[in-house]
Amino acid sequence: MYEFLLCYHDRHQGVTVTIKEMPVTDTCKYQVKRIRETSGGQEEIDFVECRDLKEAKEVFFQRVKPYIWHGMQD
């Protein structure tokens, strides 16, 4: 099983965003995934495959930013 390199969880919104290192393929090495907690378990919102860690971190922070701003408004 692969470990998450970076994980953000917003308990109020029930959303988790992760960066996961994947087996090296021709197209990607990292995956950024956004998951929503539901009453039936988890629902994948979206995911992006990235070639390098720099790209993965940029995508991660783009996905996390709306939840952080929402939390600051409360």
Side-chain angles (χ1 to χ4, degrees):
M1 188 109 198
Y2 296 100
E3 303 257 340
F4 296 125
L5 298 176
L6 196 54
C7 180
Y8 171 81
H9 178 72
D10 185 312
R11 65 186 174 125
H12 297 292
Q13 304 263 343
V15 173
T16 301
V17 183
T18 60
I19 296 179
K20 184 165 131 179
E21 188 169 9
M22 305 297 288
V24 177
T25 65
D26 293 339
T27 57
C28 78
K29 185 173 180 182
Y30 299 94
Q31 184 180 74
V32 179
K33 186 180 283 190
R34 191 165 35 162
I35 300 168
R36 179 178 314 281
E37 301 291 326
T38 65
S39 58
Q42 294 182 337
E43 170 187 45
E44 185 177 292
I45 299 171
D46 61 6
F47 72 92
V48 178
E49 294 180 338
C50 304
R51 291 184 179 270
D52 58 39
L53 188 55
K54 181 179 183 225
E55 179 187 5
K57 288 191 295 186
E58 289 172 4
V59 171
F60 178 87
F61 287 112
Q62 288 171 357
R63 297 294 188 269
V64 166
K65 189 176 177 180
Y67 303 108
I68 292 172
W69 282 112
H70 182 268
M72 291 177 72
Q73 301 296 321
D74 291 343

